[in-house]
Amino acid sequence: MKVKGRNFVEMLSEEEIAKIIDRMASAINADLEGKNPYFLVMMNGAFIFASDLLRKITIPCGLAFVRYSSYEGMKTTGKVVPVIPVPADVKGRNVVIIEDIVDTGITMEAFLKELKNFSPESVRIASFLTKPEARQREVLVDYVGKEIENKFVLGYGLDYDGLGRNIPSLLVLDESTQ
Ligand code: IMP
């Protein structure tokens, strides 16, 4: 598939994604049973992952949306600005951050620092994807959907310059044809 003149090929089908979501949800349901977790969905990228994951969560939980990152094109800008801040009622709660991808870790490191100011009881991270090779900050991801190579991915909520978030499968930039 071509997006803005770049060629992308499938990395994960909808069926493969569904299996990943089931596995992640089972782990979260088991670990946080009785803990009334509070999910914080990192907008915009995590919205599709979050909607699939949360519908497989069977334990009582709370939910809010936050928006902190600033990401343009294919490179992280390093600027992290609060757009939709953390709600004050996370105080004393067992927070699970839902993120689409932890790439350099710059966004997540900055967000974790910010979140601490709101005094949650505990903080866990559920990220659909992680790119360990790209990491510039040490960030422990508790629930990982899939570890991927340091390549640009698109679809399933992730965009390339504002395009492609609606693609239901996960695509990867085909570097052989650029
Ligand atoms: P980080 O600060 O470098 O870890 O990047 C965080 C954000 O950058 C993620 O939440 C994504 O929104 C975006 N991002 C990182 N890698 C990719 C990618 O391969 N495709 C699309 N967006 C990405």
Side-chain angles (χ1 to χ4, degrees):
M1 177 189 284
K2 272 215 185 302
V3 178
K4 282 205 166 177
R6 302 283 189 130
N7 206 29
F8 288 86
V9 292
E10 189 172 273
M11 177 184 263
L12 289 174
S13 67
E14 289 180 70
E15 291 73 25
E16 287 167 326
I17 291 172
K19 282 190 193 141
I20 290 172
I21 302 298
D22 282 346
R23 172 175 52 75
M24 294 181 84
S26 299
I28 294 170
N29 284 327
D31 290 355
L32 293 169
E33 168 111 62
K35 291 194 154 66
N36 189 16
Y38 195 137
F39 292 95
L40 290 184
V41 182
M42 304 280 278
M43 297 304 274
N44 291 328
F47 81 110
I48 288 184
F49 167 51
S51 80
D52 282 348
L53 182 73
L54 287 164
R55 281 178 293 169
K56 299 283 177 182
I57 297 297
T58 51
I59 55 176
C61 60
L63 162 70
F65 301 97
V66 293
R67 189 161 180 209
Y68 272 81
S69 68
S70 152
Y71 196 88
E72 280 154 25
M74 288 197 178
K75 273 197 188 150
T76 189
T77 59
K79 282 183 284 168
V80 183
V81 188
V83 182
I84 307 172
V86 174
D89 63 358
V90 303
K91 189 168 193 258
R93 298 290 300 269
N94 295 296
V95 169
V96 181
I97 301 166
I98 303 187
E99 178 61 298
D100 55 354
I101 184 166
V102 180
D103 183 359
T104 63
I106 291 171
T107 307
M108 190 53 78
E109 184 189 60
F111 181 67
L112 287 170
K113 210 171 144 207
E114 167 82 358
L115 183 55
K116 267 197 183 154
N117 299 328
F118 293 83
S119 310
E121 168 73 21
S122 65
V123 178
R124 291 173 176 80
I125 302 172
S127 184
F128 180 58
L129 301 169
T130 176
K131 287 185 192 169
E133 292 163 18
R135 203 71 100 246
Q136 292 174 28
R137 302 285 191 280
E138 210 181 309
V139 173
L140 177 80
V141 182
D142 302 87
Y143 304 100
V144 175
K146 188 178 167 69
E147 272 191 13
I148 62 167
E149 282 178 77
N150 192 8
K151 289 187 176 169
F152 193 82
V153 287
L154 172 74
Y156 200 63
L158 292 130
D159 75 312
Y160 169 37
D161 265 351
L163 289 174
R165 290 196 198 274
N166 56 310
I167 298 166
S169 57
L170 184 75
L171 310 181
V172 61
L173 184 66
D174 180 7
E175 282 158 11
S176 67
T177 61
Q178 304 305 309

